[in-house]
Amino acid sequence: MTDSKYFTTTKKGEIFELKAELNSDKKEKKKEAVKKVIASMTVGKDVSALFPDVVNCMQTDNLELKKLVYLYLMNYAKSQPDMAIMAVNTFVKDCEDPNPLIRALAVRTMGCIRVDKITEYLCEPLRKCLKDEDPYVRKTAAVCVAKLHDINAQLVEDQGFLDTLKDLISDSNPMVVANAVAALSEIAESHPNSNLLDLNPQTINKLLTALNECTEWGQIFILDCLANYTPRDDRESQSICERVTPRLSHANSAVVLSAVKVLMKFMEMLPKDLDYYGTLLKKLAPPLVTLLSAEPELQYVALRNINLIVQKRPEILKHEMKVFFVKYNDPIYVKLEKLDIMIRLASQANIAQVLAELKEYATEVDVDFVRKAVRAIGRCAIKVEQSAERCVSTLLDLIQTKVNYVVQEAIVVIKDIFRKYPNKYESVIATLCENLDSLDEPEARAAMIWIVGEYAERIDNADELLESFLEGFHDESTQVQLQLLTAIVKLFLKKPTETQELVQQVLSLATQDSDNPDLRDRGYIYWRLLSTDPVAAKEVVLAEKPLISEETDLIEPTLLEELICHIGTLASVYHKPPSAFVEGSRGVQHRRIPPRAGSVESAESPEVGQSGSSEAPPAVIPSQGDLLGDLLNLDLAPPTATVPSVQPSMQMGAMDLLGGGLDSLMGDESDTLGGDIGGSPSMGAGLGAAPTVMPAALGGAPAVGGGLGDLFDLGGGVGMPTGFYVVPKTLWLPAMKAKGLEISGTFARRGGIIQMDMSLTNKAMSVMTDFAIQFNRNSFGMAPAGPLQVLTPLSPNQTIDVSLPLSTNGPVMKMEPLNNLQVAVKNNIDVFYFSCQFPLSLLFVEDGKMERQVFLATWKDIPNDNEAQFQIKDVHLNSDAASNKLQGSNIFTIAKRTVEGQDMLYQSIKLTNSIWVLAEMRVQTGNPNYTLSIKCRAPEVCQFVYQCYEMVLKN
Amino acid sequence: MIHSLFLVNASGDIFLEKHWKSVVSRSVCDYFFEALERATEPENVPPVIPTPHHYLINVLRHRIYFVAVIQSEVPPLFVIEFLHRVVDTFQDYFGVCTEAAIKDNVVVVYELLEEMLDNGFPLATESNILKELIKPPTILRTVVNTITGSTNVGEQLPTGQLSVVPWRRTGVKYTNNEAYFDVVEEIDAIIDKSGSTITAEIQGVVDACVKLTGMPDLTLSFMNPRLLDDVSFHPCVRFKRWEAERILSFIPPDGNFRLLSYHVSSQNLVAIPVYVKHNISFREGSSQGRFELTLGPKQTMGKAVESVLVSSQLPRGVLNANLNASQGTYTFDPVTKLLSWDVGKINPQKLPSLKGSVSLQAGAFKPDENPTINIQFKIQQLAISGLKVNRLDMYGEKYKPFKGIKYMTKAGKFQVRT
């Protein structure tokens, strides 16, 4: 007798029959009937009509029957909310049952009934169950809070369930702790800013204790929660690592990967010279290798994550190349991932083995895999220079096989090899040309045409070859058309005498007969270039190309860092930031690897400044030329502009080390760490280290200039305390929002000129050029006084400091807040928008000192309603020092009166738009709190003037 | 967490659905069916499939796709491990995990799934605990139930749920107390044309069948524990003791369980127990090719190599194979081009061989790809890594248990390139 009998009744009166059975007096018959109902439900049949009859069976002491009825209820309560109420009483009664199993079952089921009316009745039983004496009930109740939150978040908050849940983190039973963590994590996902999982060393300790004793699933929840914590120092982070390491030997792969995540994140904080750091690195390899012997779907997820780990810390798996060798019967998705990692691990030491494998793969059956293997050979050539020759000969061997797609793929990668090693392997061109006719894929055709054009002078019949392509010009894809156009123009510039006709033909094809705007535009540009200035054309078209970088498919460092913090999640499988997908997460917090607390070792370790990206894959190193260029630019600046143009570069050193560089790395955590790092260590480095150290520390081209400038600026700062106070640079535009461009900046007023000082950092993988800037209309008509001067292209990982002079003659529109400035920055990639707020003191002009008489008259003239009073607290300056300091920011003291030990300072300010602001500041000796009264005809500025006072006086 | 589960059979029908949160329409599986259609082989369906509002994570076991639906960020491995646990549980309860078995026991399946997850969080996945909650169907119990009207559902809170040893139930009693351990090693290897090893590694497991009364505390020690540097333990193993003394100390679950699995990596020298001599050649312009295969034992420590099965996917252009096996039988499927040869035991005095000719389709070119040869074999009484159990001791109980240890080596993914 099996359950399949329940499926057999498909005749007409089925529901009617079941109804009768459900109402039968015989227990056994009832149970059989409910089973039939459930069976129909599981295959998606609608049995909701039986609702009242099934609910009637609920009042029973037969546990199996009860469970079955509950199963039914969970499925159908939503569609019959009024009927579901009938069940409430039984639930409430069951929550008081002496048997914990039944109490737990009741509270568990109630939470699954997603009906508002029921949830109201749920609160009281749930509250009791959360404090139940039996841990089994408590742990079930913890999950129930998450369920209830999903249905009615407000209710959960109002009833104080969140606090009870937080208390459960300290429960004596590890299973309860794990479930509380799981429930809180799930709730926190929909409340990104709530401080639900407020992790501190005490809770961490509790979690670590529970970690040892709870179930495997609980361990996953706890480890994922631990990964959100930022340890206070390297010692704490080491002790957490030590307690997490045993999880690497767990049989459950999800536990292992979650443990790997915690370790990968926290080891970032450990000093590298620590013995433990090396031990940890060694411990990470075996569990990762073991994951690869699991079932293919586990392997797939593991491989996607290993791909990230290998990019971040290639040293972990550098000796494990062989485990990534592809097995004949691996599923295709595993094969492709393994191939990717093989290339990432390829190095001079193992390249021979890798190449032999790749060649083997290139003869397999699966076309996608073969293609990727051929591409991989090309990538090896580009990555490991010593192997290039071998790779090329392997590719030639493969071309000899004449397998169509292999040949095409090989030609595409050989083009890349030519780009990387120009003038080295051109001897193979002849072989390539033999296969011209077999190319039918656009990418391969385009690659071949590029090769012919690029080496036209060495291919005797280049014109014939290109001409043969030209015949079917209109049938080609755009990619091929564009390439053909360029190749023929190149050919013409190299052999002008014989190919005039050809070039005219292609130009007319591209400009007159094509409706593709890209093609037309390119055609016209070539045409005009050639007709106006062939020499210039030669310089443009035949310009020396920059070498292609080693690995083009690396994940950009900021994203990689974030993904490392999300190892084991969907984000890590898709290599996309968590915020980019998964609907449920309404705003995920960006996680960053915590920077090393570099208070001690800053001097000898150049990575401190950029701990996040210190392990970043080989970036394009700025060439000597760039460096010199930058320095020269600075020196050659016209003398009149010395102040504005040299100043920014001076600023840069100090600001970048203290502000920009670290800010950008620390992100949210900067609040806690800014304190120790913002101190002197970087100054020490700047002063003490020879210039050779500096470029390394900054990782960007203008480092030397910066280092020197640093000294100047600091000197200046100490010598003239009355200078205009410049706020440290803040992050205006995070790289995440601007496709890798990060902008931090501040404003300054120097010699009567308003300047916007910005650090542009390229965190993407490609070079950025063509910068431009524009402001939206704003309250004070600020506008760029000149174009944004970014002279050199911004290479990856490079930071450039620019200073943009501003005028106040632009269009005016009142902004909210008043000092808000909306900015658009453009580069070759896109246009990005951000807004920032400038200190109003920027607009205080130098001739803002009012005549005494005028002051008195004006003060009286302005209605008292316009007066605003403020307190400035904790200023430890006497009135003279304060007035001196304020003068540096163009706040002028006109008169001073002393009444009963209280100094009254009368001050005036003039804004660029000729608005006068008058102020009276009362300073009592011995009292650090000043009273400030501000009067102005435009009272809305008072608040911002007060902010300037506070800012100037406190710095 | 895990939202819903759909079970899909080989012909692409959903035959069971279970929802742990709100009901997700089964139309979500359309995205899975699309992926299924695109995949060339059933195994090639990608494990994680994105849809506009959900993610589908699937595993294929026993020709059934277990498709889990998730909506928020959930570790995919967590979901996959859970699905594996579902499969194991079904197998444990019903003996086999097939569509028929699941349909026959649909109510038990439903009860089990409800017990395993709550709101998408795993609740009880240990087979010991589940069996206390929901008794596995047996013929005897069905009969008894129908007569007495008692149920399949346990009425008491399972004892293991909250104890420090959640994997073991209390009050276990046996008349014959016995503890058996199987050391099973699978050797994965890729051998190149010339017979040299490209990569070889060993995946080993120690599976146990422990039927002991009370709360026994066992220790198991090895002669050469240094081999085990990459291990995954059952939660019952005390990790600290292993770290310090390289001794496995544990209170075992009741019944069958995997005590540990280990990995002997390619960096250690791995003994290869068989060798293959092969000559598969096609001549340009000829419709005939030569095929010769000879197997022989290599490093087997004097043990016999048994249950040898050779299979190879011949090139697409091959029409038929006309071969002669010195022992065993061979088959060639002209549709799938799969050649398989059931060799049996290798006799070192008279090596098994398979020789003859293969014919190509008329007009077919000489094949580009070289067929790979897969070999399966078993060697009893040998752990190829050299791992050996030293002794097993029991504490905490008075009786003397019966102990036994078996060793076996098998081929995992053992491939020879030609």
Side-chain angles (χ1 to χ4, degrees):
Chain A
M1 230 180 27
T2 67
D3 292 353
S4 53
K5 65 173 186 272
Y6 302 129
F7 292 112
T8 50
T9 51
T10 45
K11 45 186 186 289
K12 258 196 173 170
E14 184 189 355
I15 298 279
F16 182 76
E17 228 169 74
L18 280 172
K19 215 179 177 90
E21 283 176 45
L22 283 170
N23 290 317
S24 151
D25 294 335
K26 285 185 195 142
K27 252 191 193 172
E28 207 40 42
K29 202 153 200 179
K30 254 189 187 175
K31 201 165 85 183
E32 287 300 296
V34 176
K35 280 193 178 178
K36 279 184 201 167
V37 173
I38 300 281
S40 312
M41 193 176 86
T42 57
V43 290
K45 264 188 221 163
D46 184 14
V47 282
S48 59
L50 296 167
F51 200 89
D53 309 280
V54 177
V55 171
N56 272 337
C57 304
M58 190 172 163
Q59 279 281 14
T60 171
D61 42 7
N62 182 316
L63 192 56
E64 186 176 20
L65 184 55
K66 196 183 264 291
K67 278 190 172 181
L68 291 171
V69 174
Y70 280 0
L71 276 177
Y72 178 88
L73 265 179
M74 286 186 243
N75 229 11
Y76 286 118
K78 185 110 192 168
S79 56
Q80 311 251 350
D82 293 326
M83 303 292 272
I85 287 288
M86 288 164 48
V88 164
N89 264 335
T90 322
F91 281 129
V92 175
K93 215 178 90 204
D94 280 356
C95 284
E96 309 271 340
D97 198 279
N99 184 344
L101 191 61
I102 295 193
R103 289 205 297 277
L105 184 65
V107 75
R108 191 172 118 200
T109 315
M110 247 177 130
C112 294
I113 297 180
R114 309 175 59 85
V115 176
D116 277 340
K117 281 183 193 156
I118 292 216
T119 50
E120 286 164 29
Y121 292 95
L122 174 60
C123 292
E124 271 325 298
L126 178 57
R127 200 186 313 283
K128 270 186 209 149
C129 289
L130 280 168
K131 304 220 153 95
D132 199 285
E133 52 174 18
D134 194 296
Y136 182 74
V137 181
R138 289 205 299 277
K139 87 170 194 167
T140 315
V143 174
C144 190
V145 176
K147 292 181 195 168
L148 190 56
H149 187 272
D150 195 29
I151 305 168
N152 190 343
Q154 197 55 43
L155 185 71
V156 170
E157 274 165 51
D158 295 346
Q159 295 280 334
F161 284 138
L162 292 182
D163 293 320
T164 325
L165 204 51
K166 278 192 226 171
D167 293 343
L168 287 184
I169 292 190
S170 315
D171 199 279
S172 56
N173 185 293
M175 252 69 88
V176 179
V177 177
N179 272 16
V181 169
L184 281 172
S185 308
E186 190 177 82
I187 294 173
E189 218 172 83
S190 52
H191 281 267
N193 297 320
S194 64
N195 232 355
L196 276 180
L197 280 161
D198 182 21
L199 298 173
N200 55 47
Q202 284 77 39
T203 45
I204 290 293
N205 202 25
K206 277 175 194 137
L207 291 183
L208 285 168
T209 313
L211 180 63
N212 283 329
E213 293 167 11
C214 66
T215 65
E216 49 197 316
W217 314 110
Q219 295 185 13
I220 300 170
F221 297 136
I222 292 181
L223 286 169
D224 285 347
C225 176
L226 276 178
N228 292 337
Y229 178 63
T230 309
R232 288 161 307 171
D233 50 30
D234 48 348
R235 210 165 298 154
E236 188 183 9
S237 114
Q238 178 175 349
S239 95
I240 295 177
C241 286
E242 277 166 359
R243 293 173 72 175
V244 165
T245 332
R247 299 301 123 208
L248 291 176
S249 300
H250 202 285
N252 186 318
S253 60
V255 175
V256 174
L257 205 55
S258 289
V260 169
K261 162 165 58 188
V262 174
L263 296 174
M264 280 295 286
K265 187 178 169 190
F266 287 11
M267 74 189 299
E268 196 66 36
M269 286 187 75
L270 301 175
K272 289 198 165 164
D273 45 1
L274 198 71
D275 286 345
Y276 182 70
Y277 180 84
T279 321
L280 201 54
L281 271 185
K282 270 189 215 123
K283 280 194 176 163
L284 277 170
L288 290 174
V289 171
T290 304
L291 289 178
L292 294 181
S293 52
E295 289 81 355
E297 58 275 349
L298 291 176
Q299 278 187 49
Y300 171 73
V301 176
L303 284 165
R304 291 295 286 172
N305 281 287
I306 288 173
N307 200 326
L308 295 173
I309 294 169
V310 164
Q311 287 185 55
K312 179 79 188 156
R313 297 194 175 279
E315 65 268 33
I316 294 178
L317 288 166
K318 67 177 174 203
H319 298 302
E320 303 288 349
M321 173 60 95
K322 282 183 174 178
V323 297
F324 299 102
F325 284 179
V326 172
K327 304 238 163 60
Y328 170 72
N329 39 5
D330 283 335
I332 181 75
Y333 56 83
V334 169
K335 283 182 177 174
L336 296 176
E337 290 305 318
K338 279 186 173 174
L339 206 52
D340 236 9
I341 295 171
M342 280 173 67
I343 300 163
R344 295 213 191 286
L345 288 177
S347 67
Q348 205 184 337
N350 56 25
I351 194 74
Q353 256 182 336
V354 173
L355 268 183
E357 281 294 303
L358 292 177
K359 196 176 172 187
E360 197 69 47
Y361 304 158
T363 61
E364 277 213 24
V365 189
D366 191 297
V367 178
D368 283 342
F369 180 57
V370 171
R371 282 175 183 276
K372 195 156 182 179
V374 177
R375 274 203 190 207
I377 297 175
R379 279 169 67 187
C380 283
I382 290 164
K383 188 168 179 210
V384 186
E385 186 164 358
Q386 293 81 355
S387 76
E389 192 153 354
R390 247 193 166 121
C391 294
V392 171
S393 75
T394 309
L395 287 170
L396 282 180
D397 286 353
L398 290 173
I399 289 177
Q400 300 303 350
T401 62
K402 304 272 180 202
V403 179
N404 188 281
Y405 52 83
V406 174
V407 173
Q408 310 213 37
E409 215 56 51
I411 285 179
V412 172
V413 297
I414 286 182
K415 174 204 70 182
D416 290 340
I417 296 176
F418 283 172
R419 276 292 301 276
K420 172 81 180 176
Y421 310 107
N423 305 320
K424 231 175 150 181
Y425 300 109
E426 280 69 27
S427 52
V428 308
I429 291 176
T431 323
L432 302 186
C433 289
E434 287 166 18
N435 291 287
L436 215 60
D437 300 334
S438 63
L439 307 180
D440 52 11
E441 289 164 23
E443 203 183 351
R445 285 174 83 84
M448 192 64 220
I449 293 170
W450 182 86
I451 293 171
V452 175
E454 189 66 16
Y455 298 99
E457 69 273 29
R458 307 192 200 181
I459 305 172
D460 295 336
N461 58 346
D463 48 345
E464 283 168 36
L465 293 175
L466 292 176
E467 201 169 358
S468 70
F469 280 108
L470 207 54
E471 281 160 19
F473 190 76
H474 288 300
D475 303 329
E476 300 282 3
S477 71
T478 314
Q479 191 186 11
V480 181
Q481 289 175 332
L482 286 170
Q483 208 52 259
L484 196 53
L485 174 61
T486 306
I488 294 180
V489 172
K490 281 183 191 164
L491 174 70
F492 172 70
L493 290 167
K494 287 172 179 172
K495 301 178 180 173
T497 44
E498 311 130 51
T499 55
Q500 204 147 7
E501 205 176 308
L502 194 61
V503 82
Q504 262 161 7
Q505 198 184 344
V506 77
L507 286 175
S508 85
L509 276 173
T511 54
Q512 285 157 23
D513 301 342
S514 166
D515 48 8
N516 180 327
D518 284 347
L519 186 64
R520 237 172 19 224
D521 280 0
R522 198 188 280 195
Y524 278 124
I525 289 170
Y526 283 146
W527 203 324
R528 286 191 191 136
L529 259 177
L530 291 173
S531 55
T532 48
D533 189 352
V535 181
K538 209 162 189 167
E539 269 171 36
V540 172
V541 179
L542 301 180
E544 200 150 302
K545 278 161 282 295
L547 295 181
I548 53 175
S549 70
E550 278 194 0
E551 284 185 66
T552 44
D553 61 336
L554 286 174
I555 296 173
E556 81 174 86
T558 35
L559 178 58
L560 179 61
E561 246 173 59
E562 198 178 349
L563 289 176
I564 288 285
C565 298
H566 286 92
I567 283 178
T569 65
L570 282 170
S572 70
V573 172
Y574 284 100
H575 293 185
K576 279 187 203 160
S579 48
F581 65 113
V582 177
E583 192 157 274
S585 56
R586 283 143 279 201
V588 181
Q589 284 165 308
H590 292 299
R591 293 188 201 149
R592 292 274 176 90
I593 291 178
R596 200 168 309 147
S599 42
V600 201
E601 13 130 37
S602 58
E604 64 276 12
S605 149
E607 286 108 346
V608 175
Q610 43 164 355
S611 63
S613 52
S614 61
E615 280 302 312
V620 179
I621 298 161
S623 64
Q624 204 78 51
D626 284 352
L627 263 172
L628 285 174
D630 259 16
L631 290 171
L632 288 177
N633 274 334
L634 295 177
D635 288 347
L636 292 176
T640 42
T642 332
V643 181
S645 75
V646 172
Q647 195 80 345
S649 68
M650 294 180 162
Q651 285 292 333
M652 187 217 74
M655 291 309 166
D656 191 35
L657 278 174
L658 299 178
L662 285 170
D663 267 357
S664 59
L665 287 169
M666 296 196 299
D668 299 341
E669 287 98 2
S670 64
D671 295 354
T672 46
L673 285 155
D676 353 330
I677 303 179
S680 56
S682 60
M683 237 176 76
L687 287 166
T692 44
V693 179
M694 287 305 294
L698 282 164
V704 174
L708 293 172
D710 192 6
L711 304 183
F712 278 108
D713 193 47
L714 290 169
V718 178
M720 304 183 288
T722 51
F724 180 84
Y725 172 68
V726 181
V727 190
K729 281 182 186 166
T730 49
L731 184 63
W732 283 344
L733 181 68
M736 296 292 299
K737 282 196 182 158
K739 303 186 177 165
L741 175 64
E742 185 178 275
I743 300 180
S744 54
T746 185
F747 293 93
R749 188 180 178 93
R750 300 187 190 92
I753 296 169
I754 304 173
Q755 289 185 326
M756 184 163 164
D757 295 341
M758 288 180 287
S759 300
L760 311 179
T761 308
N762 181 354
K763 301 214 159 175
M765 299 305 298
S766 58
V767 174
M768 295 180 180
T769 54
D770 308 336
F771 285 92
I773 196 164
Q774 222 170 29
F775 292 175
N776 194 1
R777 284 189 285 173
N778 53 70
S779 315
F780 295 93
M782 290 222 280
L788 184 63
Q789 299 276 347
V790 183
L791 296 169
T792 48
L794 194 55
S795 348
N797 263 350
Q798 190 191 6
T799 300
I800 289 188
D801 286 64
V802 288
S803 186
L804 180 72
L806 306 182
S807 73
T808 49
N809 312 327
V812 175
M813 182 175 77
K814 196 175 167 194
M815 298 296 291
E816 192 55 50
L818 210 56
N819 59 344
N820 196 21
L821 184 62
Q822 296 179 334
V823 184
V825 170
K826 189 185 104 118
N827 63 9
N828 58 330
I829 298 167
D830 207 339
V831 183
F832 311 107
Y833 303 92
F834 63 88
S835 65
C836 52
Q837 294 179 1
F838 52 87
L840 209 65
S841 51
L842 211 56
L843 305 167
F844 298 175
V845 294
E846 276 69 16
D847 60 346
K849 189 159 185 171
M850 218 178 214
E851 288 292 314
R852 280 182 174 214
Q853 261 68 34
V854 185
F855 183 89
L856 276 174
T858 322
W859 185 269
K860 282 188 190 147
D861 207 29
I862 301 176
N864 277 343
D865 292 351
N866 283 12
E867 183 174 346
Q869 220 172 56
F870 302 95
Q871 288 279 329
I872 308 174
K873 291 184 174 150
D874 286 310
V875 188
H876 299 275
L877 293 169
N878 63 25
S879 59
D880 285 341
S883 113
N884 216 353
K885 216 170 173 183
L886 290 169
Q887 185 145 357
S889 293
N890 296 341
I891 301 174
F892 298 96
T893 306
I894 300 165
K896 176 177 159 185
R897 212 153 52 112
T898 312
V899 185
E900 295 162 356
Q902 200 175 42
D903 288 341
M904 320 273 269
L905 300 178
Y906 295 95
Q907 297 167 324
S908 71
I909 299 163
K910 188 181 163 192
L911 301 183
T912 44
N913 53 359
S914 301
I915 290 181
W916 285 91
V917 181
L918 311 184
E920 179 201 52
M921 189 164 78
R922 262 173 284 173
V923 183
Q924 221 163 2
T925 357
N927 183 353
N929 298 346
Y930 294 3
T931 312
L932 181 69
S933 307
I934 301 177
K935 258 188 167 182
C936 178
R937 285 187 199 281
E940 56 269 53
V941 304
C942 295
Q943 175 68 28
F944 300 96
V945 172
Y946 156 66
Q947 284 172 5
C948 298
Y949 266 87
E950 181 142 272
M951 188 181 75
V952 172
L953 288 173
K954 289 192 175 170
N955 289 290
Chain B
M1 291 292 117
I2 302 172
H3 224 92
S4 307
L5 173 70
F6 293 95
L7 301 193
V8 178
N9 64 16
S11 45
D13 299 322
I14 301 170
F15 67 93
L16 189 105
E17 58 184 291
K18 166 82 186 130
H19 307 277
W20 285 279
K21 291 186 164 188
S22 50
V23 176
V24 179
S25 158
R26 53 165 71 190
S27 62
V28 75
C29 289
D30 293 350
Y31 295 95
F32 170 76
F33 294 131
E34 270 173 36
L36 186 61
E37 224 160 88
R38 271 197 301 272
T40 45
E41 305 274 326
E43 296 81 37
N44 284 346
V45 181
V48 187
I49 300 166
T51 81
H53 301 288
H54 300 92
Y55 284 81
L56 306 178
I57 297 184
N58 72 87
V59 306
L60 173 65
R61 287 293 176 281
H62 309 283
R63 307 187 51 210
I64 299 171
Y65 290 100
F66 291 76
V67 185
V69 182
I70 58 175
Q71 198 166 28
S72 54
E73 175 66 88
V74 181
L77 283 186
F78 167 96
V79 181
I80 296 172
E81 285 278 359
F82 176 78
L83 292 178
H84 287 172
R85 219 53 64 85
V86 171
V87 178
D88 294 346
T89 309
F90 287 173
Q91 192 144 27
D92 196 21
Y93 265 72
F94 315 129
V96 283
C97 179
T98 60
E99 184 181 352
I102 290 172
K103 277 188 168 167
D104 282 350
N105 297 288
V106 69
V107 176
V108 179
V109 164
Y110 229 65
E111 285 171 338
L112 277 174
L113 290 176
E114 182 59 29
E115 217 51 67
M116 291 177 83
L117 272 192
D118 175 22
N119 194 36
F121 298 106
L123 197 59
T125 52
E126 288 285 338
S127 115
N128 264 308
I129 292 174
L130 281 172
K131 282 187 178 160
E132 277 186 64
L133 283 168
I134 299 156
K135 306 215 169 62
T138 60
I139 294 169
L140 181 66
R141 187 164 298 124
T142 322
V143 174
V144 172
N145 284 356
T146 21
I147 297 165
T148 62
S150 62
T151 73
N152 279 337
V153 173
E155 304 257 335
Q156 283 309 310
L157 188 60
T159 44
Q161 266 287 32
L162 291 157
S163 76
V164 223
V165 279
W167 52 85
R168 188 173 179 88
R169 57 198 176 100
T170 49
V172 184
K173 264 208 154 101
Y174 289 100
T175 40
N176 295 323
N177 287 297
E178 46 194 22
Y180 296 112
F181 293 86
D182 287 351
V183 180
V184 181
E185 296 193 337
E186 283 193 6
I187 171 164
D188 289 350
I190 301 176
I191 313 286
D192 76 0
K193 276 188 203 36
S194 60
S196 56
T197 310
I198 291 179
T199 161
E201 49 192 342
I202 295 168
Q203 318 291 348
V205 294
V206 177
D207 282 339
C209 175
V210 177
K211 294 182 174 171
L212 296 174
T213 307
M215 270 290 168
D217 198 332
L218 305 179
T219 59
L220 184 73
S221 62
F222 297 96
M223 306 276 262
N224 37 9
R226 215 175 293 165
L227 276 170
L228 303 177
D229 64 341
D230 181 3
V231 279
S232 307
F233 295 121
H234 188 277
C236 69
V237 175
R238 298 185 179 99
F239 189 74
K240 286 231 169 79
R241 184 105 190 255
W242 169 258
E243 284 273 271
E245 305 168 50
R246 297 276 141 178
I247 286 175
L248 293 179
S249 152
F250 55 99
I251 295 174
D254 184 44
N256 294 311
F257 66 101
R258 176 154 295 170
L259 179 62
L260 87 148
S261 52
Y262 57 93
H263 176 94
V264 180
S265 73
S266 48
Q267 282 166 52
N268 297 30
L269 274 181
V270 173
I272 302 291
V274 293
Y275 70 85
V276 181
K277 272 204 246 168
H278 52 81
N279 178 11
I280 304 171
S281 57
F282 299 96
R283 258 172 301 148
E284 202 71 65
S286 158
S287 66
Q288 292 284 318
R290 262 179 48 175
F291 188 100
E292 280 180 37
L293 212 62
T294 309
L295 295 173
K298 216 170 162 186
Q299 297 153 297
T300 62
M301 327 290 163
K303 302 283 194 300
V305 184
E306 301 168 320
S307 313
V308 181
L309 186 70
V310 177
S311 62
S312 179
Q313 184 78 46
L314 295 186
R316 271 165 297 182
V318 173
L319 185 65
N320 214 339
N322 185 12
L323 306 171
N324 189 11
S326 72
Q327 76 177 71
T329 52
Y330 85 93
T331 56
F332 176 74
D333 183 339
V335 181
T336 60
K337 316 294 180 199
L338 186 72
L339 173 76
S340 58
W341 174 29
D342 189 348
V343 183
K345 193 169 168 180
I346 296 181
N347 177 358
Q349 270 72 51
K350 192 172 165 291
L351 296 179
S353 64
L354 183 67
K355 288 180 187 166
S357 63
V358 286
S359 51
L360 291 177
Q361 272 155 3
F365 291 109
K366 173 177 169 275
D368 307 311
E369 69 260 31
N370 303 320
T372 302
I373 301 167
N374 282 299
I375 302 177
Q376 285 164 41
F377 55 82
K378 272 184 200 163
I379 305 168
Q380 303 282 358
Q381 300 309 319
L382 172 73
I384 194 89
S385 68
L387 188 75
K388 257 201 143 65
V389 172
N390 184 22
R391 55 182 297 149
L392 175 72
D393 296 302
M394 188 184 75
Y395 304 92
E397 296 288 337
K398 295 269 183 304
Y399 55 85
K400 256 205 146 15
F402 188 78
K403 303 177 275 193
I405 287 169
K406 264 196 334 199
Y407 298 92
M408 174 146 77
T409 298
K410 289 199 282 193
K413 287 183 170 175
F414 194 97
Q415 311 185 336
V416 181
R417 291 178 182 158
T418 63

